[in-house]
Every structure is written in C-alpha cells, then in structure tokens.
Amino acid sequence: LVQVIGRMNDPSAIPALESKRKSGDAGLTMEINLALYQLGKKDYRSEIIAGLSDRDVSARRAAAKAMPEINDSPTDEIIRALKDPDPQVRMYAAQALEKFPKKQATDPLIEILKTDSNEETKQAVTQALMVYGQQDLGKDLAARLIKELPAVNQPNDRLRIVHILKTDAYKQQIKDAPKEDNLVYNLWKYATQDEKNEMVKTELDRLLVELPEN
C-alpha cells in the first residue's frame, strides 16, 4: 500500500506517511522513506541511501529496490551493495546499475557473473551488461568478456556470457575491433579447443556464424 501511495503523486498523504515512520519495522520505514521521496520530500534521500548498509535485511532490500528511483544515483554505495550477503539486495543493486550505467561498475558486475551463486542476481547482471554494451563506457566489453570465458567455471555462466556476446551491440564491437585483437579467432579457438560443454559450444558456433572471418 505504501508503494502505491508513493506512485499516486498525492502530497496530502505525506502527514499520514510520516506518522508511520516509527512503526518499528525497518523495511516498512524504508518503503515509507521512498514514498515520501517520490512525493517530493527529497530530504529523505540520504536515509534511503543509508539503508543500503542497514543491519536489517528488509531495510537493505527496500533501499536497494529504491535505487532506480533516486536522482543522482549513488554509484559507489550501489556497487558496495553488490557484495551484500543477501541475493535480493545484490539483484536490486544490479538492476539499479542497469538503469544508471557507470564505467566503474563493469568489473564488479563481471565478477558477479563469474562467481555469484544466485541465478536471479546473475540474470540481473546479464541484463545490465547487455545495456552497458550499448554505451560508450562499455565499448571494450566484448574483448573483456571473450578473455574472461576460460576463467568462468560454471557452464551456465559461460552460456550467459555467450548470450551477451550475441546481442547486436556486442557483435558490432567484435566486428569493429582492430584485426590485431583477433577476437573472432580467439572465440573460435576457445570454442574448438577449450570448451567442453556441448550447449555452450553450440551457442558459440551460432555466434561465430554471424561474425566475419579473420
């Protein structure tokens, strides 16, 4: 209900919301902070950001989920939230970094793709990296992801990387790369000599068909 009130854009709800902030429920308080922020009470911004490091996981989840709504996105705090022990917090942080792409977030996002144990978090990171490939800040990501492939242990995670590389923006990066980078050859070599998982090999072969020969 608090979330709905925040989206209704009716400032008359502000007094009622503020009266409920001391309910004792940290998650609810954070949701109220966001609703008040959406209704124009921008002074609650700092409390919402501080919620990313709250001891209560429900508060951290609510704060992380709120990050796409916050103006002047607090990138450093969101990147730190990518290391939160709670997978929902990490997922929401990745979604925020998808909406507000930042160069300094690329390494942490790739690290999650390689090592995180939560499927929803890794899917959120996959979506974010697809967006990053369309930005100037991510113009070297195709080469980076190709280089990372041998270091990724889980086949499903390598499959995610291949699916990222199959998007139009990344295929264009590969096509535009200097010949001396040998990106197509490196992909082919990895697919034929190193990859053991048949599903990943199949997707790599499909990608290679769509790329120019060296």
Side-chain angles (χ1 to χ4, degrees):
L1 288 173
V2 169
Q3 292 174 357
V4 172
I5 291 170
R7 293 193 294 266
M8 287 174 62
N9 196 28
D10 183 358
S12 68
I14 290 175
L17 287 170
E18 290 187 319
S19 71
K20 297 292 185 182
R21 287 188 67 250
K22 303 303 180 183
S23 66
D25 185 307
L28 178 58
T29 298
M30 198 56 59
E31 293 282 5
I32 290 172
N33 288 342
L34 175 59
L36 289 165
Y37 179 87
Q38 291 172 318
L39 292 172
K41 302 284 285 186
K42 301 306 182 185
D43 47 321
Y44 284 102
R45 179 180 183 275
S46 60
E47 290 190 43
I48 297 170
I49 296 171
L52 291 171
S53 56
D54 197 285
R55 287 181 295 179
D56 190 302
V57 66
S58 63
R60 298 201 308 277
R61 287 175 180 174
K65 190 176 181 179
M67 287 302 104
E69 307 294 329
I70 301 297
N71 294 330
D72 191 19
S73 180
T75 303
D76 292 342
E77 289 86 348
I78 298 173
I79 289 174
R80 283 196 289 271
L82 289 174
K83 296 182 178 180
D84 194 279
D86 182 73
Q88 285 192 39
V89 174
R90 300 196 300 273
M91 179 187 70
Y92 291 139
Q95 290 172 347
L97 291 167
E98 174 187 349
K99 182 171 182 181
F100 300 111
K102 298 292 182 181
K103 179 71 172 179
Q104 63 266 41
T106 54
D107 285 349
L109 288 171
I110 290 172
E111 190 62 26
I112 283 186
L113 200 60
K114 292 166 56 180
T115 63
D116 202 281
S117 60
N118 183 264
E119 293 296 311
E120 290 183 342
T121 301
K122 288 189 286 192
Q123 187 56 36
V125 168
T126 299
Q127 293 299 123
L129 289 173
M130 287 179 177
V131 170
Y132 278 46
Q134 303 169 26
Q135 315 289 322
D136 286 343
L137 60 87
K139 61 185 178 181
D140 59 346
L141 275 176
R144 170 73 186 279
L145 290 174
I146 292 170
K147 186 177 180 180
E148 292 283 359
L149 268 173
V152 178
N153 293 325
Q154 296 299 318
N156 283 345
D157 296 336
R158 297 197 298 276
L159 197 59
R160 284 189 176 89
I161 289 178
V162 177
H163 286 163
I164 293 170
L165 293 172
K166 287 176 70 177
T167 60
D168 290 342
Y170 281 89
K171 285 190 294 187
Q172 194 62 50
Q173 283 189 28
I174 296 171
K175 293 173 183 178
D176 292 343
K179 287 187 177 181
E180 58 267 25
D181 288 353
N182 294 318
L183 296 189
V184 177
Y185 172 76
N186 290 341
L187 265 178
W188 173 84
K189 183 178 178 182
Y190 175 78
T192 56
Q193 299 183 15
D194 299 320
E195 182 56 61
K196 306 304 180 186
N197 182 274
E198 288 303 319
M199 186 175 294
V200 181
K201 285 172 67 72
T202 297
E203 291 303 306
L204 280 167
D205 288 343
R206 289 174 177 169
L207 171 59
L208 286 164
V209 167
E210 299 175 13
L211 295 172
E213 296 182 3
N214 281 348

